[in-house]
Amino acid sequence: MQQFMAQLQQLLAAPGSGPVNWDLARQVAASQLSSTGDPAVTPFERHAVEEALRLADLWLEPSSALPSGIQTSVAWNRNEWIYRTLDVWRKLCDPVAGRMVGAMGDLVPPEARAQLGPMQSMVATLGGALFGGQLGQALGSLAAEVLSAGDIGLPLGPAGTAALVPANIREYGAGLELPEDEVRLYVALREAAHQRLFGHVPWLRGHVLTAVETYAAGITVNREAIEEAMGRVDPTNPESVQALALEGIFTPEDTPSQKASLARLETALALVEGWVCHVVDSAAAERLPNVVRLGEAFRRRRAAGGPAEQTFAALVGLELRPRRLREAAALWAALTEYRGIAGRDAVWGHPDLLPSGEEFADPEGFARAQLDLNELDTFDFTQPGGPEGGDRISGDQTDEGPEHPGEKNPS
């Protein structure tokens, strides 16, 4: 602890290059993992992960019109998950942290700023250290819970890299009292499905990350909470900095634009997660003995969020849970029934083709709506499982609906 405090004092003395002291964040996360444990990935686990991802991709072939998105299959320990996902966390957190650091600077009276001179930078340094320390704790907790690179619904890892965290999968499977290899394969299916989606829908990664950034841009800083937190800092005692809790200092603006950005974000997260759940459960339905239990356990897990996810939400004022997951899964199921697998996945062809939040309430109505095939003329409808497979259709459905799934509208 003394060594960590010495490092903290050193970091406070040296201004960082941005609003978050990411060096401190990494150190705090690593320190937290060293106390909770970070088992090394064994050669057996690495091989098991590679085989699980390879098999998962094969199982997904008939259930998805999108081809494999996996270029590299890897097994990460918890520290590797933090290191490999840090670039995306930086993009998501820097704007929020920048507003916090700015609010801290605003607490200095205008007449005193000129007298402070270079000392002004110390305020920014302290703000970056405060946020970096808190973020490091949140990431350290998340690293002990996440099961894969795409586990929380965001494309956190490098493009084309499918990654599982064996230590966390083992612990999660033990809690479910299910065989580890079956849980590993189910997680691999989810990760492989995420890779297909984000790897072959070119606009999706930017769409989701921009939705997060747009929402974060509307978050404001509670000046009273900042002032109260700063009042608890003892400059002679670095432990007082580490003990600070920044939860609750960010509040979303209750404006129409902020509500709209939150709705877009929740819709995007729900559509991604709903598609993954539907495709994975379809692929594993006849193959995994406990697929129903696994599917329900993962839906509850994503809908509720773990303790670390809740800590992160309190820290940056942003929840990453797909609130309308069941409605989204029902919508993708209806699209599969009425338009076929290729027709369902063609909806990812452009963001304007995706259902709005209001259309979640009537998945069958959305699925049966007339497709504008002119917008989809570049989509390959001959993919496995598509309309030419014989038992699935796209476009308009006859009034008889699902009772006659093999009949096409003569028009």
Side-chain angles (χ1 to χ4, degrees):
M1 180 61 72
Q2 289 180 342
Q3 181 183 5
F4 173 77
M5 286 301 149
Q7 291 173 338
L8 180 58
Q9 285 178 303
Q10 186 177 10
L11 287 164
L12 282 172
S17 59
V20 176
N21 191 324
W22 288 101
D23 288 335
L24 179 59
R26 281 193 295 266
Q27 290 187 32
V28 170
S31 175
Q32 186 164 321
L33 287 177
S34 67
S35 62
T36 59
D38 186 13
V41 178
T42 67
F44 171 79
E45 288 174 327
R46 200 173 303 279
H47 176 73
V49 164
E50 292 173 354
E51 285 300 300
L53 287 166
R54 183 189 62 80
L55 183 58
D57 239 1
L58 288 176
W59 285 8
L60 288 172
E61 277 300 309
S63 298
S64 169
L66 302 173
S68 171
I70 298 178
Q71 300 172 14
T72 306
S73 300
V74 294
W76 287 342
N77 64 15
R78 292 162 179 169
N79 264 299
E80 283 179 300
W81 179 86
I82 293 174
Y83 179 76
R84 299 294 182 185
T85 63
L86 211 57
D87 284 346
V88 176
W89 290 118
R90 187 191 303 267
K91 183 180 296 185
L92 297 178
C93 296
D94 274 353
V96 180
R99 282 188 292 284
M100 185 201 74
V101 172
M104 291 176 65
D106 291 342
L107 292 177
V108 180
E111 61 273 11
R113 293 175 192 171
Q115 298 175 357
L116 283 175
M119 291 296 290
Q120 280 276 117
S121 65
M122 284 299 295
V123 176
T125 302
L126 178 59
L130 284 173
F131 203 90
Q134 296 288 299
L135 188 58
Q137 290 181 12
L139 290 178
S141 298
L142 269 175
E145 294 180 6
V146 292
L147 307 179
S148 67
D151 194 22
I152 65 172
L154 297 178
L156 295 176
T161 298
L164 306 188
V165 186
N168 294 349
I169 292 173
R170 182 168 58 250
E171 291 184 9
Y172 184 67
L176 293 177
E177 298 182 345
L178 290 175
E180 181 182 346
D181 58 345
E182 193 171 346
V183 178
R184 183 194 304 116
L185 186 49
Y186 192 84
V187 176
L189 282 162
R190 288 178 51 82
E191 178 70 359
H194 270 108
Q195 292 295 330
R196 285 175 182 251
L197 195 54
F198 283 101
H200 295 286
V201 180
W203 55 267
L204 183 58
R205 177 181 292 263
H207 179 78
V208 173
L209 295 181
T210 299
V212 175
E213 292 169 5
T214 302
Y215 176 73
I219 294 175
T220 56
V221 177
N222 185 332
R223 283 177 56 96
E224 292 181 0
I226 284 280
E227 198 164 0
E228 182 184 349
M230 292 295 294
R232 295 195 298 269
V233 174
D234 179 359
T236 65
N237 179 17
E239 291 188 20
S240 67
V241 177
Q242 188 189 25
L244 275 181
L246 297 181
E247 289 92 337
I249 68 170
F250 299 109
T251 54
E253 289 185 355
D254 191 18
T255 62
S257 61
Q258 181 69 353
K259 289 179 179 178
S261 65
L262 177 59
R264 284 194 298 271
L265 173 59
E266 290 180 343
T267 297
L269 290 173
L271 286 172
V272 169
E273 185 66 21
W275 186 88
V276 169
C277 286
H278 174 66
V279 169
V280 166
D281 288 351
S282 298
E286 305 297 327
R287 295 183 170 103
L288 289 182
N290 294 292
V291 64
V292 175
R293 281 186 60 191
L294 284 164
E296 186 58 33
F298 273 79
R299 275 188 286 273
R300 287 198 305 269
R301 181 174 179 270
R302 285 294 291 122
E309 208 169 326
Q310 293 164 9
T311 299
F312 178 79
L315 179 60
V316 302
L318 175 63
E319 291 184 347
L320 300 176
R321 301 200 303 268
R323 294 183 180 277
R324 307 182 70 179
L325 173 55
R326 292 185 186 276
E327 294 98 318
L331 186 141
W332 292 117
L335 282 168
T336 305
E337 181 175 6
Y338 285 99
R339 302 187 187 181
I341 290 174
R344 174 202 70 200
D345 292 348
V347 175
W348 291 110
H350 191 278
D352 290 346
L353 297 176
L354 293 175
S356 64
E358 293 76 15
E359 287 168 321
F360 272 45
D362 184 16
E364 285 203 7
F366 176 79
R368 296 176 66 172
Q370 172 68 47
L371 279 174
D372 184 354
L373 295 180
N374 291 328
E375 295 187 56
L376 304 179
D377 57 4
T378 59
F379 192 88
D380 184 4
F381 278 84
T382 64
Q383 290 285 345
E388 297 190 9
D391 62 344
R392 303 195 185 270
I393 65 174
S394 62
D396 263 357
Q397 175 78 18
T398 60
D399 290 338
E400 285 83 3
E403 288 81 9
H404 301 280
E407 296 180 11
K408 295 185 180 180
N409 191 326
S411 60

